[in-house]
Amino acid sequence: MELVQLALRGRVAVATIANPPVNALSAGVRAGLAEAVAKAGSDPAVDAIVIAAAGKAFIAGADISEFGKPPAAPILPDVLEAIESCAKPVVAAIQGVALGGGLEVALACHARVASPAARLGLPEIKLGIIPGAGGTQRLPRLIGAAKAFPMMLSGEPISADKAAGYGLVDMVALGDVVEAAAALAQDLASKGAPPRTADRAEALTAADREAFEALAADATKKSGDMPNAMALIEAVRGVFTLPFAEGMAAERALFRTLVADERSKALRYAFFAEREAAKVPGIEASVKPRPIAKAAVIGAGTMGGGIAMCFANAGIPVTLIETEQAQIDNGINRVAAIYEMSVTRGSLTPEKRDERMALITPAVGLTAAADADIVIEAAFEEMGVKKQIFGALDGIAKPGAILASNTSYLDIPTIAAATKRPQDVIGMHFFSPANVMKLLEVVRPAGVADDVVATAVALGRMLGKVPVVVGNCFGFVGNRMLAQRTRAAERLLIAGALPHEVDAAVTAFGFKMGPFAMSDLAGNDIGWRTRKSLGKKAAVADALCEAGRFGQKTGKGYYLYPAGARAGQRDPEVEALIASISAQKGVTRRSFTADEIVARLMDPMVNEGARILEEGIAARPGDIDIIWLNGYNWPAWRGGPMHWADTVGLDVIVKRLEAQAAESGDATLEPSPLLRRLATEGKGFSELKAQAA
Ligand code: TC6
């Protein structure tokens, strides 16, 4: 089938792009578009041209998978130049998303018609690049830089109505968008030479420039170390300082530099890894998820309340269940307070708040879960409690209902064995705060029904989560790897580093917080309790807890928090304590560079990731990366721990782990067989094939 089909509607030629699933601008589409415009442009039977698209999307942008390859002619800027220079009017008929290069196609047209459901945006910033086919030059010329720049800086698409208000689209068509575009094109044809966006300057006023510069100054302050925000400012500023052709050349040069940057490669890798994670090995696409019209959540603590909010936010009625009235009252009040905060901040209307609260029914006693299609348990992390709840639910929940546990490390098959329907029992591990964090680990024990797994994944997406299917083991994927980092951080303290040095190295790496500041925030007593229950020790962490230093909530932990302070201050008492523990262990303390600290923290995590792959707990390295990006704030532009390991080189990681294992005498630091094999073969994790989780 032709990627771009040309057909006549009266004297208007309609070029329809058909490149499923999202009409990305592959080399073939670019060539087809150029050819269609050239052909229609020289056809005496044609007065005007419409560019339309088949399917749900108008055009989702450049084909992201082509970015790593040498550009194939015709390149998009040249195709767009041909469209804009066409002597006959060219009108875009936008029936779905017009993103990135897709919106740039529409901008090069002489007019734009959109259907009400269309969404228009330039999301390049999220891929570490900037628009590279005139977006930074044409959008400001059309709607002013003060409106165009925020669209490009956030990358968020806008609605057709908003676009019409901006003057980005000329008409929102309620009926057939192609028909409306054809009528507009014919009308333009009767009015002489069509208006070229490149020639328009009326929006570029002194006031517009002033407003843009204020926004740019603000963005500069907040840009962190992502180079593309700065490049975006430079490119957009060009609309005021450079003629169109020079502005285009400057944009292109910046785009080329950014596309080749490791940070953009990591963001593109994550885009595809996230979509890959949605495909569960071993489960056919034909497996239908069970319908979920009503949910129940057991436990109205912070976690249970947050999960109930996820359902309400997605418009699914949910019963929030506790054992006593006072507890459910507290839970509901906490949820109401969170919604109230959103209303105060202006991110939620009072009507929406009321709608969402009305979807949450408080209840006392498990029998309230009788009519739920899915029950998610978020009670205490104690196997006895879980078994009791699941045993009782077995007698209450309707046949076919899915029984899920939000446990963060307990054995799902043991929980399932408390019921007579283990095929319906699954793990759904949300991350705190559950109404905010994107990650959902779907834990798939042996024996669970395929359609239960498919339902958990589909439901996760309905709740706006990024679901990743993992196998059953202690801590699953994320927390199992985190435990390695926590142990490594403790080892570093004993070897000679101080908490602030470790945290500084980790924030310089790109995390928002270091492990010790994070532990102080979450409460050091949480890990202490877990260690005690498992019979494990951590000399420094245990000593701090024994001294009542639980973190921010007690005013002191690894750091000091004088009245009201959120940022911790170094505490000589803690540093002396650490030094004394090193001395007791006979360790001569030494200093560590930031790079050494990062290596010592991350390498053991990567090693654990390799074991997780060996055991089939994760299906793909990309799944592990998506878990870390969405559940643990791993810096997006570093692509996740397994991608990062590939960029470092697995041979380097193996050597460093061997050295650490030898120094510490800790055999768990020995590189895993998979890591060794890949390193010996000169390969990276990216070369592994998917396996069933
Ligand atoms: C740009 O345009 C720069 C231009 C400068 C030129 C010089 N390319 O997300 P979904 C695939 S930068 C290739 O699951 P949805 C995706 O991998 C680009 N493939 O669906 C998946 O494939 P699979 C700016 C793409 O309905 C399938 O389509 N554009 C692209 O939830 C379905 O995707 C963007 O950043 C692409 N551009 O959401 C837009 N887009 O089935 C990125 C999608 O084999 N795309 N695929 O796994 C999106 O935001 C969303 O995909 C969506 C559809 C809103 C278009």
Side-chain angles (χ1 to χ4, degrees), residues 385-442:
V385 175
K386 310 268 183 201
K387 278 183 172 172
Q388 199 212 332
I389 292 176
F390 277 77
L393 279 176
D394 196 21
I396 293 167
K398 64 185 189 187
I402 293 174
L403 307 182
S405 174
N406 176 55
T407 179
S408 48
Y409 60 90
L410 293 173
D411 188 58
I412 304 289
T414 309
I415 296 174
T419 73
K420 288 189 278 310
R421 41 173 127 176
Q423 74 284 355
D424 294 339
V425 179
I426 195 165
M428 287 180 76
H429 181 205
F430 291 77
F431 287 69
S432 190
N435 53 314
V436 176
M437 296 300 285
K438 289 258 176 215
L439 178 61
L440 174 68
E441 273 183 333
V442 173

Side-chain angles (χ1 to χ4, degrees), residues 21-22 60-64 67 100-101 123-124 127 132 252 271-272 275 279:
V22 292
D63 184 337
I64 302 170
F67 278 170
E124 286 85 345
L127 296 171
R252 190 77 188 154
F271 175 85
F272 287 114
R275 275 141 192 92
K279 300 176 187 102

Side-chain angles (χ1 to χ4, degrees), residues 672-691:
S672 80
L674 173 66
L675 189 51
R676 271 193 205 285
R677 174 171 69 76
L678 289 173
T680 311
E681 291 171 0
K683 289 185 178 158
F685 287 115
S686 63
E687 284 154 285
L688 282 177
K689 291 236 170 356
Q691 55 194 352

Side-chain angles (χ1 to χ4, degrees), residues 258-634:
L258 290 167
V259 150
D261 191 292
E262 285 302 325
R263 288 170 278 202
S264 171
K265 284 185 195 158
L267 290 160
R268 272 140 46 197
Y269 158 81
F271 175 85
F272 287 114
E274 185 175 321
R275 275 141 192 92
E276 190 78 18
K279 300 176 187 102
V280 187
I283 296 193
E284 299 296 322
S286 58
V287 174
K288 288 267 164 302
R290 299 182 188 175
I292 302 289
K294 199 160 191 301
V297 175
I298 316 287
T302 315
M303 207 63 204
I307 298 171
M309 288 175 75
C310 294
F311 280 102
N313 296 350
I316 303 172
V318 57
T319 307
L320 185 58
I321 299 174
E322 261 299 349
T323 46
E324 283 168 27
Q325 190 62 42
Q327 280 169 320
I328 193 64
D329 289 346
N330 281 344
I332 286 287
N333 289 342
R334 217 176 358 244
V335 168
I338 297 172
Y339 279 136
E340 201 49 51
M341 213 142 65
S342 304
V343 172
T344 311
R345 277 205 216 105
S347 58
L348 189 72
T349 61
E351 295 74 34
K352 277 257 174 282
R353 171 202 57 200
D354 295 346
E355 255 170 48
R356 291 178 186 186
M357 281 304 290
L359 285 168
I360 307 179
T361 308
V364 173
L366 291 179
T367 48
D371 61 347
D373 300 304
I374 185 162
V375 185
I376 300 184
E377 166 275 320
F380 290 117
E381 284 286 71
E382 261 180 45
M383 188 50 97
V385 175
K386 310 268 183 201
K387 278 183 172 172
Q388 199 212 332
I389 292 176
F390 277 77
L393 279 176
D394 196 21
I396 293 167
K398 64 185 189 187
I402 293 174
L403 307 182
S405 174
N406 176 55
T407 179
S408 48
Y409 60 90
L410 293 173
D411 188 58
I412 304 289
T414 309
I415 296 174
T419 73
K420 288 189 278 310
R421 41 173 127 176
Q423 74 284 355
D424 294 339
V425 179
I426 195 165
M428 287 180 76
H429 181 205
F430 291 77
F431 287 69
S432 190
N435 53 314
V436 176
M437 296 300 285
K438 289 258 176 215
L439 178 61
L440 174 68
E441 273 183 333
V442 173
V443 188
R444 176 189 191 181
V448 68
D450 281 359
D451 65 343
V452 171
V453 180
T455 309
V457 171
L459 175 63
R461 260 190 251 125
M462 276 162 73
L463 302 184
K465 302 293 168 199
V466 177
V468 182
V469 175
V470 301
N472 178 65
C473 67
F474 187 85
F476 315 127
V477 170
N479 284 346
R480 179 169 156 182
M481 288 171 71
L482 180 67
Q484 291 298 329
R485 194 183 78 173
T486 307
R487 289 181 61 210
E490 164 92 11
R491 264 198 311 272
L492 266 168
L493 293 185
I494 294 171
L498 290 171
H500 71 278
E501 292 167 342
V502 174
D503 282 349
V506 171
T507 49
F509 181 80
F511 278 90
K512 289 197 192 101
M513 266 186 148
F516 297 119
M518 181 58 110
S519 187
D520 271 358
L521 177 67
N524 299 323
D525 49 323
I526 298 175
W528 191 36
R529 260 201 311 273
T530 311
R531 282 193 300 281
K532 281 205 267 192
S533 72
L534 299 171
K536 298 209 163 150
K537 291 199 177 317
V540 176
D542 291 348
L544 291 182
C545 287
E546 278 151 23
R549 304 188 67 119
F550 292 167
Q552 288 196 19
K553 61 186 170 192
T554 56
K556 50 190 184 170
Y558 287 94
Y559 301 100
L560 270 183
Y561 302 88
R566 289 217 109 205
Q569 298 169 3
R570 286 176 63 177
D571 186 348
E573 214 175 278
V574 171
E575 296 179 6
L577 173 81
I578 294 170
S580 76
I581 292 175
S582 303
Q584 276 165 30
K585 292 182 179 287
V587 174
T588 309
R589 295 177 62 78
R590 69 146 171 116
S591 63
F592 290 90
T593 64
D595 284 349
E596 282 176 313
I597 290 173
V598 165
R600 283 183 175 236
L601 290 175
M602 310 302 177
D603 292 355
M605 278 179 46
V606 170
N607 201 22
E608 197 65 27
R611 288 196 193 103
I612 282 168
L613 289 168
E614 272 164 353
E615 293 167 23
I617 295 294
R620 297 159 281 233
D623 290 7
I624 297 178
D625 286 333
I626 292 306
I627 286 173
W628 273 81
L629 289 167
N630 292 286
Y632 298 84
N633 287 322
W634 181 280

Side-chain angles (χ1 to χ4, degrees), residues 20-25 30 56-57 59-67 75-77 97-104 121-127 129-134 157 251-252 255 259 271-272 274-276 278-279 461:
V22 292
N23 297 323
L25 292 160
R30 298 196 299 272
K56 249 171 49 189
I59 305 171
D63 184 337
I64 302 170
S65 65
E66 282 184 1
F67 278 170
I75 60 167
L76 192 58
V97 288
L99 299 175
L103 181 55
E104 288 174 308
L122 292 169
E124 286 85 345
I125 196 104
K126 296 181 183 176
L127 296 171
I129 53 176
I130 61 168
E251 175 199 84
R252 190 77 188 154
F255 170 82
V259 150
F271 175 85
F272 287 114
E274 185 175 321
R275 275 141 192 92
E276 190 78 18
K279 300 176 187 102
R461 260 190 251 125

